[in-house]
Amino acid sequence: MGIELEQRVRDLLDCYGSSDASAAELLCDRHPAEGVAFTIVEPDLSSTDLTYGELRERSARCAAALAELGVEPGDRVATLMAKSADLVVALLGIWRRGAVHVPLFTAFAAPAIAFRLQAADVSVVIADPDQAPKLEPGPDMPANPSWQLIVAGAAAPAGALRMEHLLDTHSAHHPYAHPVAVGGAGLLVQLFTSGTTGTPKGVPIPLRALASFHAYQEFGLDVRPDDVFWNAADPGWAYGLYYAILGPLATGIRSILLHAGFSASLTWQVLETFGVTNFAAAPTVYRALRAENSPPPVSCRLRRASSAGEPLTPEVVAWSAEHLGVAVRDHYGQTEHGMVICNAWHRDLDTETPAGSMGRALPGWSCAVLAEDADILAPTGHVGRVAIDTEHSPLLWFPGYLDAPERTAQRYTVDGRWYLTGDAGAQDADGFFHFSARDDDVIIMAGYRIGPFEVESVLVLHEQVAEAAVVGMPDQLRGQVLEAFVVLRDGVAGGPGLESELQSLVKRKFAAHAYPRKVHFVSSLPKTPSGKVQRFVLRQGGVR
């Protein structure tokens, strides 16, 4: 890491880690009032600019209203809202009050919502009108909830506690509208992991984590003041909250917020209509764009394209270079840390990206691959455990899971030196990391360790395959054998012939021993709301 980048990391840590740090000041008030924070885009492509001045006034009214409802600094306030101006106002109102935000994904059903509300001891929930019914008493919701409900939007039902009314009846100069300084160690967000391998874990995010989020905007994404930046991820989950909301607000650079659900055609239209130059999204978005039959009517103007959430497959990278004008780059991180390893775009970090690489450690982070059976560095090129060096990662902010010391301890080596990500990978001689699999997704067949991603990357090369997931299934002779679950493109039917083609393709393109013994043709793959494939569901036979 160069001297200038090292100094930049120190400056960010000083800014966001100070004892008198205020989220409202750092994310809103310090920026020019006339500056545009977000351009809110509607499904019909109409748009509205939301300035920092507007955000300051409206969030101050929101903070005063929350205080009048009894919300104190440190209390938990949840949002069950789509991407909108109301969401940003609510978030800044929560943080201005010194409260802790609990994000709820709008695709959650009532049981998932209830678990998070009760686990976080939420005092107020702010919900969109179409989400509010999920909070009504029933089998999964308590009859006498401990939280108060505020309904946002003009369509709020009669009799509801309406966000619009609360803002109208509270002054931005109310004593409780003054921003509360919680300091760098104070909590900003309480987020829950997706829970694909067990009960969701509470991740407390301190205000000083903004130093890491800000750094990624600069180092990883290379967002510049003249960019039209769009992170399409949903803020109900880590990548969207960290880098579609918090990162842009921290840097003060205008960002696009699409007030609509995902569709490939609408994504193309937004990219073209608003002249997006810097785009970030999950791999599923890029795959959907690739599968869209009609390409954009004019060439995209993208300067940067980035992906996070799951590894990129080679055909998506090749497609993006041709159709987006820039090869999308893979970035790696976790809910517990944000982004730590990237094929970074910053001019001082930009370099030729090796095929299949997830990048190098970003400035402020130090990562390595540990041996599988000992807490020592694995030899170059050998698959092991991807880990973060806690002693040499100044941007590390994870304080441990809430009320779960045993689960926190499982994440560290005995001496506390290394944080174990739970992912398997290798590091080459040039320091680039290469993802293999989640530890519990690695397939061991007849003594061979096989990362499903490598086989999946081959399967999706077939022109009739839209998506693929590979898992290990029990086998009496080999311990495990590979089975593939394949989603075909529209109009294509699966059968023994296509199964043989795919098996032969893997033998040809990857390894003769690593072909899937069975190929299941399915209509869709089970995924978390953030788009990650739930391989444990496939192993349990939940999809056929």
Side-chain angles (χ1 to χ4, degrees):
M1 179 170 63
I3 295 176
E4 290 186 4
L5 296 184
E6 288 181 355
Q7 183 59 53
R8 183 57 177 154
V9 169
R10 288 194 292 269
D11 290 344
L12 291 172
L13 287 169
D14 289 342
C15 174
Y16 295 105
S18 66
S19 59
D20 61 349
S22 162
E25 170 64 28
L26 293 168
L27 297 175
C28 179
D29 299 357
R30 66 171 173 162
H31 301 312
E34 69 278 7
V36 176
F38 292 97
T39 296
I40 313 296
V41 179
E42 301 297 334
D44 62 359
L45 298 180
S46 62
S47 64
T48 304
D49 285 341
L50 183 63
T51 69
Y52 282 102
E54 291 170 320
L55 273 178
R56 181 172 185 170
E57 180 182 10
R58 293 173 65 185
S59 66
R61 294 175 183 271
C62 183
L66 290 174
E68 292 287 352
L69 290 175
V71 174
E72 297 289 342
D75 286 351
R76 272 55 172 172
V77 179
T79 58
L80 185 58
M81 305 171 73
K83 295 169 281 188
S84 65
D86 281 341
L87 171 64
V88 182
V89 170
L91 294 182
L92 281 169
I94 293 167
W95 295 325
R96 188 176 295 276
R97 180 59 186 144
V100 180
H101 172 229
V102 179
L104 299 171
F105 186 49
T106 53
F108 278 153
I113 294 170
F115 171 84
R116 287 160 174 79
L117 293 178
Q118 292 169 331
D121 192 20
V122 166
S123 60
V124 172
V125 182
I126 307 175
D128 285 337
D130 62 335
Q131 296 292 321
K134 296 179 181 178
L135 298 164
E136 294 176 354
D140 302 304
M141 283 288 169
N144 298 298
S146 59
W147 55 82
Q148 300 179 75
L149 173 62
I150 299 173
V151 182
L161 191 59
R162 299 170 58 242
M163 180 175 172
E164 184 177 352
H165 174 73
L166 292 175
L167 297 186
D168 288 343
T169 55
H170 287 81
S171 169
H173 303 289
H174 191 288
Y176 288 134
H178 186 75
V180 174
V182 301
L187 289 191
L188 190 70
V189 177
Q190 181 174 331
L191 189 60
F192 287 86
T193 61
S194 57
T196 57
T197 57
T199 302
K201 302 180 288 292
V203 179
I205 302 166
L207 192 151
R208 62 185 174 86
L210 291 174
S212 173
F213 304 160
H214 191 143
Y216 173 66
Q217 295 286 120
E218 293 185 8
F219 302 151
L221 298 174
D222 189 35
V223 181
R224 302 177 185 176
D226 58 349
D227 267 328
V228 178
F229 175 64
W230 182 23
N231 183 337
D234 193 286
W237 292 94
Y239 192 70
L241 179 62
Y242 298 172
Y243 306 116
I245 301 290
L246 286 167
L249 287 174
T251 60
I253 296 175
R254 180 175 74 99
S255 177
I256 286 179
L257 205 59
L258 178 61
H259 186 206
F262 172 77
S263 78
S265 60
L266 182 56
T267 300
W268 277 128
Q269 290 175 326
V270 173
L271 289 171
E272 178 195 353
T273 301
F274 293 89
V276 175
T277 60
N278 196 319
F279 183 57
T284 50
V285 170
Y286 291 99
R287 289 196 292 264
L289 293 177
R290 176 174 175 263
E292 179 78 9
N293 292 327
S294 56
V298 297
S299 60
C300 287
R301 294 185 285 276
L302 286 181
R303 185 179 66 84
R304 301 286 188 249
S306 307
S307 176
E310 280 196 301
L312 286 167
T313 48
E315 90 288 348
V316 171
V317 178
W319 169 86
S320 66
E322 178 181 356
H323 293 275
L324 297 179
V326 59
V328 60
R329 290 188 177 180
D330 207 359
H331 295 174
Y332 168 85
Q334 294 188 315
T335 298
E336 294 89 341
H337 305 287
M339 309 310 290
V340 297
I341 297 173
C342 296
N343 291 297
W345 285 110
H346 188 279
R347 63 180 179 276
D348 293 336
L349 303 170
D350 190 5
T351 186
E352 185 175 348
T353 302
S357 164
M358 58 200 233
R360 291 168 166 157
L362 286 170
W365 297 93
S366 179
C367 302
V369 175
L370 302 184
E372 298 174 15
D373 54 358
D375 297 336
I376 59 174
L377 298 181
T380 299
H382 285 235
V383 173
R385 298 170 294 161
V386 178
I388 298 172
D389 185 347
T390 63
E391 295 181 3
H392 299 91
S393 298
L395 288 178
L396 181 70
W397 53 262
F398 177 59
Y401 300 115
L402 283 169
D403 303 320
E406 291 185 1
R407 299 177 83 174
T408 298
Q410 292 171 358
R411 282 297 198 181
Y412 292 90
T413 54
V414 174
D415 60 3
R417 167 70 185 276
W418 300 97
Y419 173 91
L420 305 173
T421 65
D423 290 320
Q427 189 174 17
D428 64 25
D430 295 319
F432 286 93
F433 290 80
H434 297 261
F435 182 85
S436 176
R438 290 288 302 174
D439 278 351
D440 56 3
D441 287 335
V442 173
I443 302 162
I444 302 178
M445 186 181 70
Y448 292 100
R449 289 175 59 88
I450 302 169
F453 172 66
E454 296 168 296
V455 181
E456 292 161 3
S457 296
V458 174
L459 290 171
V460 296
L461 292 175
H462 196 286
E463 61 182 5
Q464 294 179 339
V465 173
E467 289 188 286
V470 172
V471 299
M473 292 294 192
D475 181 80
Q476 190 171 10
L477 178 62
R478 302 175 182 86
Q480 284 184 308
V481 294
L482 279 75
E483 291 190 15
F485 293 78
V486 172
V487 179
L488 299 175
R489 295 189 179 278
D490 291 342
V492 178
L498 183 54
E499 179 180 34
S500 297
E501 284 185 37
L502 295 174
Q503 291 169 329
S504 298
L505 182 64
V506 174
K507 291 179 183 178
R508 294 198 314 271
K509 296 291 187 179
F510 179 47
H513 71 284
Y515 73 93
R517 266 51 178 185
K518 291 182 181 179
V519 178
H520 306 277
F521 297 106
V522 297
S523 59
S524 63
L525 298 176
K527 297 177 182 177
T528 67
S530 57
K532 295 182 180 180
V533 175
Q534 294 175 306
R535 292 188 178 86
F536 76 95
V537 174
L538 300 176
R539 288 194 292 268
Q540 294 170 356
V543 175
R544 283 292 186 270

